[in-house]
Amino acid sequence: TVGWFRFNAKKSQRIVIECLAESLDSRLDPVLAVVDAAGRELERSRTGGLIDFAAPTEGVYTLKVSDFLYRGGDEYFYRLTLSTGPRIDFALPAAGLPGTKTNITFYGRNLPGGKPSKDFVVGGKPLDQVTVEVAFPAADRVLRLNPGLLLRPSDIAVDAFEYRLKSPKGPSNPLLLGLATIPL
């Protein structure tokens, strides 16, 4: 089964296309492809379900979503997101002491105030980086994790809190920042 989706993009607009399947317990092994109006393939993701697409010209583009082996059915569902908003890939350091403020450098795409990273390039495209002072909650005031957050079983054992970057285009995806027990 193949899904086709059309979207508009402005020249040089950075659109992050993400297909969640495995984390939702789907059997889909997603393959994504972006094609232009002439049918030329511009970007493809064979693994990971993520495309970082910069439109070469203003126009209408088509996104193709399929399973790696073109299987389909009720067990091959997915959550598809196309966004020009911020997306965090990771942060350094990824933890801080409870009750302190720590400078954290976030790496990702479309980060507010971000600049291209010289150290981290994914698929030939540099990630954005931005440093933000983050207030880590006191250990006794840590909120329970958002039940809507998709977590791996190993994440449950970590003392952490959910953090999102704010931007005019809306908040970023959530990232877990750990609570350290000793100075980093």
Side-chain angles (χ1 to χ4, degrees):
T1 305
V2 176
W4 298 92
F5 303 91
R6 286 204 171 115
F7 64 96
N8 295 316
K10 296 177 183 162
K11 182 177 178 158
S12 302
Q13 186 176 33
R14 190 174 194 178
I15 300 173
V16 178
I17 303 166
E18 186 170 21
C19 182
L20 295 179
E22 181 181 11
S23 60
L24 303 174
D25 287 334
S26 171
R27 295 189 63 188
L28 182 79
D29 186 3
V31 174
L32 308 175
V34 175
V35 296
D36 64 13
R40 290 184 301 257
E41 186 174 293
L42 304 175
E43 295 275 348
R44 174 175 284 269
S45 171
R46 290 181 180 88
T47 59
L50 183 103
I51 291 180
D52 182 352
F53 176 67
T57 61
E58 183 168 342
V60 177
Y61 295 88
T62 303
L63 173 66
K64 175 185 172 186
V65 180
S66 66
D67 179 70
F68 184 74
L69 297 176
Y70 289 96
R71 299 170 294 186
D74 291 344
E75 296 176 344
Y76 293 84
F77 50 89
Y78 53 90
R79 181 183 299 162
L80 184 64
T81 307
L82 283 78
S83 176
T84 58
R87 184 186 187 285
I88 301 172
D89 284 44
F90 63 95
L92 294 175
L97 289 171
T100 65
K101 291 184 177 179
T102 304
N103 284 333
I104 305 291
T105 302
F106 293 93
Y107 295 88
R109 301 125 205 275
N110 295 325
L111 301 183
K115 297 190 176 14
S117 170
K118 295 176 184 156
D119 300 319
F120 296 103
V121 176
V122 177
K125 298 173 186 169
L127 293 178
D128 291 343
Q129 74 177 61
V130 64
T131 301
V132 176
E133 185 178 68
V134 175
F136 282 75
D140 62 340
R141 301 202 59 200
V142 173
L143 301 174
R144 293 287 159 219
L145 294 173
N146 178 345
L149 185 63
L150 298 173
L151 299 173
R152 298 178 306 247
S154 60
D155 292 335
I156 300 299
V158 175
D159 287 332
F161 70 102
E162 180 182 309
Y163 187 83
R164 293 175 186 257
L165 286 172
K166 294 177 182 153
S167 84
K169 293 185 178 184
S172 71
N173 58 308
L175 181 73
L176 288 181
L177 292 178
L179 296 173
T181 55
I182 59 173
L184 302 176

